Amino acid sequence: MGISLSVAAESWPIAGSFTISRGSRTEARVVVATLHLNGATGRGECVPYPRYGESVEGVVALIEAQAAWLASQPSARQARLGLLDRLKPGAARNALDCALWDLEAKQANIPVWQLAGLSAPADAVTAYTLSLGTPDSMREAAQKAAHRPLLKVKLGGAGDPERIAAVREGAPDSSLIVDANEAWTDDLLEPCLAACRAAGVELIEQPLPAGKDDALTGLDAGILLCADESVHDRSTLDALATRYQAINIKLDKTGGLTEAIAMADAADARGLKLMIGCMVGTSLAMAPALLLAGKAQYVDLDGPLLLAKDRDPGLSFSGSRISPALAALWG
């Protein structure tokens, strides 16, 4: 008997709402894959993302379609390696890949970080995200979060210089990174960059739309430019070198921890700095990504902090500091 599979779609309320340039939402819709083999259980969570043509229903169906193949697999490791050829990078592969890592660890009674040849996980400081809003509302949000060491500011295009200035006014001592989510245009680029420089912003994620970012080629912005929507797996790295100095690795884009580890090493070999990021999900989605925090200059795994309620057990947060996951959660 091989690996058995069950799949569940879940909704987790967000505390208030979460707004970026593409819209607002009040819940995180996630998909959880649960695998069983010889009395051991492994779980993995993914967050389907419409920007990449994904839906909860489509991802559930894609995962369920792997049930017969998984039942033919004699081990979690063999299935995990075979999965890279069966599914393209994306949310469905992420849930299964992480569940297979968890299953292998539970069977071997060895933590995932050791199985993967990674350094022992340690506490990490995560960015805390401020949703897109008016300058006044973002100043108020920044004031409430001003005790946090690193804030990530969601931007939306026109009016962003005023938003950036307002956030800096509200949180004068926090380090700032910003995420435009593809919302800037070539005309907005320089005034927005100038505002970021004036506010002491350290990093800008995806200022221009993926595939329409030629204006970044050879640009000396004076701030790290970080690819997000433009980068998915290792095959997309080489095209970025002249436009970006950093990349945001998200497991829902890479299709799991297996590819994310390889991608982190490949990025480092190219001199690219790393951010380890996330979609808005529960601690089950953050735990695998947290294993890569030691390789990253920036960690953005605040998904559970944005929820009204997290899993139990979940990750332990002390302010913006995250502790490694307990085995009861994952890994």
Side-chain angles (χ1 to χ4, degrees):
M1 185 67 178
I3 300 168
S4 63
L5 164 71
S6 61
V7 189
E10 302 174 348
S11 293
W12 294 81
I14 291 172
S17 64
F18 182 74
T19 303
I20 66 172
S21 62
R22 285 187 282 272
S24 298
R25 52 199 166 113
T26 57
E27 64 177 1
R29 299 190 67 202
V30 309
V31 176
V32 177
T34 303
L35 304 176
H36 301 280
L37 180 64
N38 298 330
T41 298
R43 298 185 301 161
E45 177 183 315
C46 69
V47 184
Y49 199 37
R51 167 65 178 81
Y52 304 130
E54 296 174 334
S55 67
V56 169
E57 296 75 18
V59 166
V60 167
L62 189 54
I63 294 173
E64 288 178 336
Q66 310 309 310
W69 173 75
L70 286 165
S72 73
Q73 300 300 298
S75 73
R77 177 177 174 79
Q78 182 171 316
R80 180 173 57 78
L81 296 177
L83 189 66
L84 296 174
D85 294 324
R86 287 190 63 84
L87 293 178
K88 66 180 183 179
R93 195 175 82 182
N94 178 34
L96 286 172
D97 179 85
C98 291
L100 287 164
W101 274 113
D102 191 30
L103 180 62
E104 183 179 354
K106 296 298 195 297
Q107 284 197 298
N109 199 29
I110 297 172
V112 169
W113 67 266
Q114 284 187 319
L115 290 174
L118 298 170
S119 299
D123 286 5
V125 173
T126 179
Y128 180 80
T129 303
L130 303 181
S131 283
L132 175 66
T134 65
D136 286 344
S137 69
M138 294 185 75
R139 180 188 297 107
E140 182 179 351
Q143 288 171 339
K144 292 178 179 178
H147 62 286
R148 296 185 182 273
L150 179 62
L151 298 180
K152 177 174 175 174
V153 184
K154 289 292 188 179
L155 297 175
D160 280 350
E162 292 77 17
R163 294 184 180 100
I164 296 163
V167 168
R168 174 48 80 203
E169 182 180 335
D173 298 323
S174 299
S175 296
L176 299 183
I177 58 180
V178 305
D179 186 1
N181 284 117
E182 306 181 280
W184 292 358
T185 62
D186 288 357
D187 291 341
L188 287 173
L189 184 60
E190 187 46 50
C192 288
L193 286 174
C196 287
R197 287 191 289 264
V201 169
E202 298 179 9
L203 174 145
I204 301 169
E205 275 187 77
Q206 201 67 42
L208 298 174
K212 298 180 181 179
D213 52 4
D214 288 345
L216 303 181
T217 302
L219 177 66
D220 182 7
I223 302 171
L224 284 176
L225 299 179
C226 179
D228 183 0
E229 286 86 351
S230 289
V231 63
H232 293 262
D233 61 359
R234 282 171 289 174
S235 69
T236 60
L237 285 178
D238 286 337
L240 304 174
T242 62
R243 285 168 280 168
Y244 298 95
Q245 300 83 50
I247 62 167
N248 188 347
I249 293 179
K250 294 177 179 175
L251 271 59
D252 278 311
K253 293 190 301 177
T254 66
L257 181 62
T258 302
E259 173 64 21
I261 293 169
M263 190 175 180
D265 292 339
D268 182 64
R270 290 163 171 79
L272 292 165
K273 297 184 183 300
L274 295 181
M275 172 186 283
I276 302 303
C278 67
M279 309 300 185
V280 182
T282 77
S283 284
L284 181 57
M286 307 301 127
L290 190 55
L291 295 187
L292 293 175
K295 295 178 177 286
Q297 284 71 42
Y298 294 92
V299 174
D300 179 26
L301 299 176
D302 64 340
L305 294 177
L306 305 176
L307 299 178
K309 178 183 177 182
D310 190 17
R311 294 188 189 278
D312 184 15
L315 290 171
S316 176
F317 288 84
S318 177
S320 293
R321 185 171 293 276
I322 321 173
S323 296
L326 300 175
L329 172 64
W330 183 88

